[in-house]
Amino acid sequence: SAVISQKPSRDICQRGTSLTIQCQVDSQVTMMFWYRQQPGQSLTLIATANQGSEATYESGFVIDKFPISRPNLTFSTLTVSNMSPEDSSIYLCSVKDGNGPFFGPGTRLTVL
Amino acid sequence: QQQVKQSPQSLIVQKGGISIINCAYENTAFDYFPWYQQFPGKGPALLIAIRPDVSEKKEGRFTISFNKSAKQFSLHIMDSQPGDSATYFCAASMDSNYQLIWGAGTKLIIKP
């Protein structure tokens, strides 16, 4: 299975600022996904990011708030913009690699 | 119709016992049913998955039982160990788009 790393692993940010989360995969994958997991909750898909096309956002998530880049088959970024305390969550990168999907370790974001 | 209902919400099992977590779905187009294990501070890890052409799949102490007519599937953990204490999520998807529909999660505690 693909090995996925994320940076940063955690961060504490001030309201109104933005944070960019990086996801690196050790092999080329077509489909990458970004999820949000609020404390004690299940996972919610934010968007699907395929290389060479615009990210597809799920209901309730918009590009202005969560811009995504997918410059190549091994890397993606998710930006959480103009943050508020409600954005405090774990953000997870995920890839589909034959089986799976497989998940990265997550980025724990706290917004003050 | 897109929901996956998971029960119980929490479960306490004695060491050596059998842990059973159940999920039910509505959408008969689902054809991929994975289970994920998540430890605190980590991303979900794919544990075992099944497709509807088989009624059971076993990997070590973990078994998925699948009942297509009832639209239910369950995870059985045999000889449960304290190291199995984690949150378990079931999910379902249509293989064509890989978007997972998640259960709410079950927090499993194995008592020594």
Side-chain angles (χ1 to χ4, degrees), chain A residues 53-94:
Chain A
S53 62
E54 294 286 326
T56 303
Y57 289 83
E58 297 302 307
S59 176
F61 298 96
V62 295
I63 188 171
D64 290 346
K65 176 68 175 177
F66 297 101
I68 289 171
S69 76
R70 182 79 201 275
N72 57 52
L73 292 173
T74 64
F75 187 79
S76 179
T77 66
L78 169 76
T79 299
V80 186
S81 303
N82 188 24
M83 288 185 284
S84 66
E86 292 71 34
D87 294 321
S88 297
S89 279
I90 299 172
Y91 291 86
L92 294 150
C93 171
S94 172

Short mmCIF file of all heavy atoms in Angstrom, two decimals, chain A residues 53-94:
data_model
loop_
_atom_site.label_atom_id
_atom_site.label_comp_id
_atom_site.label_asym_id
_atom_site.label_seq_id
_atom_site.Cartn_x
_atom_site.Cartn_y
_atom_site.Cartn_z
N SER A 53 -6.81 18.15 -13.20
CA SER A 53 -8.17 18.69 -13.25
C SER A 53 -8.47 19.45 -11.97
O SER A 53 -7.76 19.33 -10.97
CB SER A 53 -9.19 17.56 -13.46
OG SER A 53 -9.15 16.66 -12.37
N GLU A 54 -9.52 20.23 -12.01
CA GLU A 54 -9.94 20.97 -10.83
C GLU A 54 -10.45 20.00 -9.77
O GLU A 54 -11.06 18.98 -10.08
CB GLU A 54 -11.06 21.96 -11.19
CG GLU A 54 -10.64 23.08 -12.13
CD GLU A 54 -9.79 24.12 -11.43
OE1 GLU A 54 -10.02 24.36 -10.23
OE2 GLU A 54 -8.88 24.67 -12.07
N ALA A 55 -10.23 20.36 -8.54
CA ALA A 55 -10.75 19.53 -7.45
C ALA A 55 -12.27 19.57 -7.45
O ALA A 55 -12.88 20.58 -7.82
CB ALA A 55 -10.21 20.03 -6.11
N THR A 56 -12.86 18.47 -7.05
CA THR A 56 -14.32 18.37 -6.95
C THR A 56 -14.70 18.44 -5.48
O THR A 56 -14.28 17.57 -4.70
CB THR A 56 -14.81 17.05 -7.56
OG1 THR A 56 -14.37 16.97 -8.91
CG2 THR A 56 -16.33 16.98 -7.50
N TYR A 57 -15.50 19.43 -5.11
CA TYR A 57 -15.83 19.67 -3.71
C TYR A 57 -17.19 19.06 -3.36
O TYR A 57 -18.13 19.08 -4.17
CB TYR A 57 -15.85 21.18 -3.42
CG TYR A 57 -14.47 21.78 -3.43
CD1 TYR A 57 -13.86 22.16 -4.62
CD2 TYR A 57 -13.75 21.93 -2.24
CE1 TYR A 57 -12.57 22.67 -4.63
CE2 TYR A 57 -12.47 22.45 -2.24
CZ TYR A 57 -11.88 22.82 -3.45
OH TYR A 57 -10.60 23.32 -3.46
N GLU A 58 -17.28 18.57 -2.15
CA GLU A 58 -18.53 18.01 -1.63
C GLU A 58 -19.42 19.15 -1.14
O GLU A 58 -18.96 20.28 -0.91
CB GLU A 58 -18.24 17.03 -0.51
CG GLU A 58 -17.44 15.83 -0.97
CD GLU A 58 -18.11 15.06 -2.08
OE1 GLU A 58 -19.30 14.68 -1.91
OE2 GLU A 58 -17.47 14.81 -3.12
N SER A 59 -20.67 18.81 -0.98
CA SER A 59 -21.64 19.79 -0.49
C SER A 59 -21.20 20.35 0.85
O SER A 59 -20.82 19.60 1.75
CB SER A 59 -23.01 19.13 -0.37
OG SER A 59 -23.95 20.02 0.19
N GLY A 60 -21.22 21.66 0.96
CA GLY A 60 -20.82 22.31 2.20
C GLY A 60 -19.38 22.78 2.22
O GLY A 60 -18.96 23.44 3.17
N PHE A 61 -18.64 22.44 1.20
CA PHE A 61 -17.24 22.86 1.11
C PHE A 61 -17.04 23.62 -0.21
O PHE A 61 -17.52 23.20 -1.24
CB PHE A 61 -16.30 21.65 1.16
CG PHE A 61 -16.39 20.88 2.44
CD1 PHE A 61 -17.21 19.76 2.54
CD2 PHE A 61 -15.67 21.28 3.56
CE1 PHE A 61 -17.30 19.05 3.72
CE2 PHE A 61 -15.76 20.57 4.76
CZ PHE A 61 -16.58 19.46 4.83
N VAL A 62 -16.31 24.74 -0.12
CA VAL A 62 -16.12 25.58 -1.31
C VAL A 62 -14.64 25.88 -1.52
O VAL A 62 -13.85 25.89 -0.56
CB VAL A 62 -16.92 26.91 -1.19
CG1 VAL A 62 -18.41 26.63 -1.19
CG2 VAL A 62 -16.51 27.69 0.05
N ILE A 63 -14.33 26.14 -2.77
CA ILE A 63 -12.93 26.34 -3.15
C ILE A 63 -12.31 27.55 -2.48
O ILE A 63 -11.13 27.54 -2.15
CB ILE A 63 -12.81 26.43 -4.69
CG1 ILE A 63 -11.34 26.43 -5.12
CG2 ILE A 63 -13.55 27.65 -5.22
CD1 ILE A 63 -11.15 26.31 -6.63
N ASP A 64 -13.08 28.60 -2.25
CA ASP A 64 -12.53 29.79 -1.62
C ASP A 64 -12.07 29.52 -0.20
O ASP A 64 -11.12 30.14 0.28
CB ASP A 64 -13.56 30.92 -1.61
CG ASP A 64 -13.82 31.47 -3.00
OD1 ASP A 64 -13.03 31.17 -3.91
OD2 ASP A 64 -14.82 32.20 -3.18
N LYS A 65 -12.73 28.62 0.47
CA LYS A 65 -12.41 28.29 1.85
C LYS A 65 -11.32 27.21 1.92
O LYS A 65 -10.46 27.23 2.78
CB LYS A 65 -13.67 27.80 2.56
CG LYS A 65 -13.46 27.32 3.98
CD LYS A 65 -13.09 28.45 4.93
CE LYS A 65 -13.01 27.94 6.37
NZ LYS A 65 -12.58 29.00 7.30
N PHE A 66 -11.38 26.25 1.00
CA PHE A 66 -10.46 25.10 1.01
C PHE A 66 -9.79 24.92 -0.36
O PHE A 66 -10.01 23.90 -1.03
CB PHE A 66 -11.21 23.83 1.39
CG PHE A 66 -11.80 23.85 2.77
CD1 PHE A 66 -13.16 24.10 2.96
CD2 PHE A 66 -11.02 23.60 3.89
CE1 PHE A 66 -13.71 24.11 4.23
CE2 PHE A 66 -11.57 23.61 5.17
CZ PHE A 66 -12.91 23.86 5.34
N PRO A 67 -9.00 25.87 -0.80
CA PRO A 67 -8.33 25.67 -2.09
C PRO A 67 -7.37 24.49 -2.05
O PRO A 67 -6.68 24.27 -1.05
CB PRO A 67 -7.59 27.00 -2.32
CG PRO A 67 -7.52 27.65 -0.98
CD PRO A 67 -8.67 27.16 -0.18
N ILE A 68 -7.34 23.75 -3.14
CA ILE A 68 -6.54 22.54 -3.25
C ILE A 68 -5.66 22.63 -4.48
O ILE A 68 -6.09 23.07 -5.53
CB ILE A 68 -7.45 21.29 -3.35
CG1 ILE A 68 -8.15 21.02 -2.01
CG2 ILE A 68 -6.66 20.06 -3.80
CD1 ILE A 68 -9.22 19.96 -2.08
N SER A 69 -4.41 22.19 -4.33
CA SER A 69 -3.55 22.05 -5.49
C SER A 69 -3.16 20.59 -5.66
O SER A 69 -3.07 19.84 -4.68
CB SER A 69 -2.28 22.91 -5.34
OG SER A 69 -1.36 22.30 -4.45
N ARG A 70 -2.95 20.20 -6.89
CA ARG A 70 -2.52 18.82 -7.20
C ARG A 70 -1.55 18.91 -8.38
O ARG A 70 -1.89 18.58 -9.51
CB ARG A 70 -3.74 17.97 -7.55
CG ARG A 70 -3.41 16.53 -7.82
CD ARG A 70 -3.19 15.71 -6.59
NE ARG A 70 -2.42 14.52 -6.85
CZ ARG A 70 -2.92 13.37 -7.29
NH1 ARG A 70 -4.22 13.24 -7.51
NH2 ARG A 70 -2.15 12.35 -7.49
N PRO A 71 -0.33 19.36 -8.11
CA PRO A 71 0.60 19.63 -9.22
C PRO A 71 1.14 18.39 -9.91
O PRO A 71 1.58 18.47 -11.06
CB PRO A 71 1.73 20.40 -8.53
CG PRO A 71 1.68 19.95 -7.11
CD PRO A 71 0.23 19.71 -6.82
N ASN A 72 1.15 17.25 -9.22
CA ASN A 72 1.65 16.02 -9.84
C ASN A 72 1.00 14.81 -9.16
O ASN A 72 0.11 14.97 -8.33
CB ASN A 72 3.19 15.95 -9.74
CG ASN A 72 3.68 16.06 -8.30
OD1 ASN A 72 3.21 15.31 -7.42
ND2 ASN A 72 4.61 16.97 -8.05
N LEU A 73 1.43 13.63 -9.56
CA LEU A 73 0.77 12.41 -9.11
C LEU A 73 1.19 11.95 -7.72
O LEU A 73 0.72 10.91 -7.24
CB LEU A 73 1.03 11.28 -10.12
CG LEU A 73 0.35 11.46 -11.48
CD1 LEU A 73 0.81 10.38 -12.45
CD2 LEU A 73 -1.16 11.43 -11.34
N THR A 74 2.08 12.67 -7.06
CA THR A 74 2.54 12.26 -5.73
C THR A 74 2.32 13.33 -4.66
O THR A 74 2.70 13.13 -3.50
CB THR A 74 4.04 11.90 -5.75
OG1 THR A 74 4.80 13.08 -6.06
CG2 THR A 74 4.34 10.79 -6.74
N PHE A 75 1.72 14.45 -4.98
CA PHE A 75 1.68 15.58 -4.04
C PHE A 75 0.39 16.36 -4.19
O PHE A 75 -0.14 16.52 -5.30
CB PHE A 75 2.89 16.49 -4.31
CG PHE A 75 3.06 17.59 -3.31
CD1 PHE A 75 3.63 17.35 -2.07
CD2 PHE A 75 2.66 18.89 -3.61
CE1 PHE A 75 3.80 18.36 -1.14
CE2 PHE A 75 2.83 19.92 -2.69
CZ PHE A 75 3.41 19.65 -1.46
N SER A 76 -0.09 16.84 -3.04
CA SER A 76 -1.25 17.72 -3.03
C SER A 76 -1.18 18.62 -1.81
O SER A 76 -0.52 18.29 -0.81
CB SER A 76 -2.55 16.90 -2.98
OG SER A 76 -3.69 17.74 -2.94
N THR A 77 -1.82 19.77 -1.90
CA THR A 77 -1.95 20.64 -0.74
C THR A 77 -3.40 21.03 -0.55
O THR A 77 -4.16 21.15 -1.52
CB THR A 77 -1.11 21.92 -0.86
OG1 THR A 77 -1.63 22.74 -1.92
CG2 THR A 77 0.35 21.62 -1.10
N LEU A 78 -3.77 21.21 0.70
CA LEU A 78 -5.07 21.74 1.09
C LEU A 78 -4.82 22.97 1.94
O LEU A 78 -4.04 22.91 2.90
CB LEU A 78 -5.85 20.72 1.90
CG LEU A 78 -7.13 21.23 2.59
CD1 LEU A 78 -8.26 21.39 1.57
CD2 LEU A 78 -7.57 20.28 3.70
N THR A 79 -5.44 24.08 1.59
CA THR A 79 -5.34 25.29 2.39
C THR A 79 -6.65 25.52 3.11
O THR A 79 -7.72 25.43 2.49
CB THR A 79 -4.99 26.51 1.52
OG1 THR A 79 -3.71 26.28 0.89
CG2 THR A 79 -4.90 27.78 2.35
N VAL A 80 -6.57 25.78 4.39
CA VAL A 80 -7.74 26.17 5.17
C VAL A 80 -7.64 27.68 5.33
O VAL A 80 -6.71 28.18 5.98
CB VAL A 80 -7.79 25.47 6.53
CG1 VAL A 80 -9.10 25.79 7.25
CG2 VAL A 80 -7.63 23.96 6.37
N SER A 81 -8.55 28.42 4.70
CA SER A 81 -8.43 29.87 4.61
C SER A 81 -9.32 30.58 5.63
O SER A 81 -10.36 30.06 6.03
CB SER A 81 -8.85 30.33 3.20
OG SER A 81 -8.09 29.70 2.21
N ASN A 82 -8.85 31.75 6.03
CA ASN A 82 -9.64 32.61 6.91
C ASN A 82 -10.25 31.79 8.05
O ASN A 82 -11.47 31.72 8.22
CB ASN A 82 -10.73 33.32 6.12
CG ASN A 82 -11.46 34.37 6.95
OD1 ASN A 82 -10.93 34.89 7.92
ND2 ASN A 82 -12.69 34.64 6.57
N MET A 83 -9.39 31.16 8.80
CA MET A 83 -9.82 30.16 9.77
C MET A 83 -10.63 30.74 10.92
O MET A 83 -10.41 31.89 11.36
CB MET A 83 -8.60 29.43 10.32
CG MET A 83 -7.98 28.48 9.29
SD MET A 83 -6.64 27.52 9.98
CE MET A 83 -5.35 28.77 10.03
N SER A 84 -11.54 29.93 11.41
CA SER A 84 -12.31 30.23 12.61
C SER A 84 -12.20 29.02 13.54
O SER A 84 -11.79 27.94 13.10
CB SER A 84 -13.77 30.50 12.25
OG SER A 84 -14.36 29.32 11.76
N PRO A 85 -12.57 29.17 14.80
CA PRO A 85 -12.48 28.02 15.72
C PRO A 85 -13.25 26.79 15.23
O PRO A 85 -12.87 25.66 15.56
CB PRO A 85 -13.09 28.58 17.01
CG PRO A 85 -12.76 30.04 16.96
CD PRO A 85 -12.88 30.41 15.52
N GLU A 86 -14.29 27.00 14.43
CA GLU A 86 -15.07 25.87 13.90
C GLU A 86 -14.25 25.00 12.93
O GLU A 86 -14.65 23.88 12.61
CB GLU A 86 -16.32 26.36 13.19
CG GLU A 86 -17.38 26.98 14.10
CD GLU A 86 -16.96 28.34 14.66
OE1 GLU A 86 -16.27 29.10 13.94
OE2 GLU A 86 -17.31 28.64 15.82
N ASP A 87 -13.15 25.53 12.45
CA ASP A 87 -12.27 24.75 11.56
C ASP A 87 -11.33 23.83 12.32
O ASP A 87 -10.58 23.06 11.70
CB ASP A 87 -11.46 25.71 10.67
CG ASP A 87 -12.32 26.50 9.71
OD1 ASP A 87 -13.28 25.91 9.16
OD2 ASP A 87 -12.05 27.70 9.51
N SER A 88 -11.35 23.90 13.63
CA SER A 88 -10.50 23.02 14.43
C SER A 88 -10.91 21.57 14.19
O SER A 88 -12.05 21.19 14.45
CB SER A 88 -10.63 23.36 15.92
OG SER A 88 -10.17 24.66 16.18
N SER A 89 -10.00 20.79 13.65
CA SER A 89 -10.30 19.42 13.23
C SER A 89 -9.00 18.71 12.92
O SER A 89 -7.93 19.32 12.92
CB SER A 89 -11.14 19.40 11.95
OG SER A 89 -12.49 19.60 12.19
N ILE A 90 -9.13 17.44 12.60
CA ILE A 90 -8.03 16.71 11.98
C ILE A 90 -8.30 16.68 10.49
O ILE A 90 -9.41 16.34 10.06
CB ILE A 90 -7.92 15.28 12.54
CG1 ILE A 90 -7.65 15.33 14.04
CG2 ILE A 90 -6.81 14.52 11.81
CD1 ILE A 90 -7.73 13.97 14.70
N TYR A 91 -7.31 17.04 9.70
CA TYR A 91 -7.44 17.02 8.24
C TYR A 91 -6.58 15.87 7.72
O TYR A 91 -5.41 15.74 8.04
CB TYR A 91 -7.02 18.36 7.64
CG TYR A 91 -8.01 19.45 8.00
CD1 TYR A 91 -7.90 20.14 9.20
CD2 TYR A 91 -9.07 19.75 7.15
CE1 TYR A 91 -8.83 21.11 9.55
CE2 TYR A 91 -10.00 20.72 7.49
CZ TYR A 91 -9.87 21.39 8.69
OH TYR A 91 -10.80 22.35 9.04
N LEU A 92 -7.20 15.05 6.90
CA LEU A 92 -6.57 13.80 6.45
C LEU A 92 -6.50 13.75 4.93
O LEU A 92 -7.48 14.03 4.24
CB LEU A 92 -7.37 12.60 6.94
CG LEU A 92 -7.39 12.40 8.45
CD1 LEU A 92 -8.69 11.75 8.89
CD2 LEU A 92 -6.21 11.54 8.88
N CYS A 93 -5.34 13.37 4.46
CA CYS A 93 -5.14 13.11 3.04
C CYS A 93 -5.33 11.61 2.81
O CYS A 93 -4.94 10.78 3.66
CB CYS A 93 -3.73 13.54 2.67
SG CYS A 93 -3.19 13.06 1.04
N SER A 94 -5.90 11.25 1.69
CA SER A 94 -6.18 9.84 1.41
C SER A 94 -5.94 9.56 -0.06
O SER A 94 -6.13 10.44 -0.91
CB SER A 94 -7.63 9.54 1.77
OG SER A 94 -8.02 8.26 1.36
#
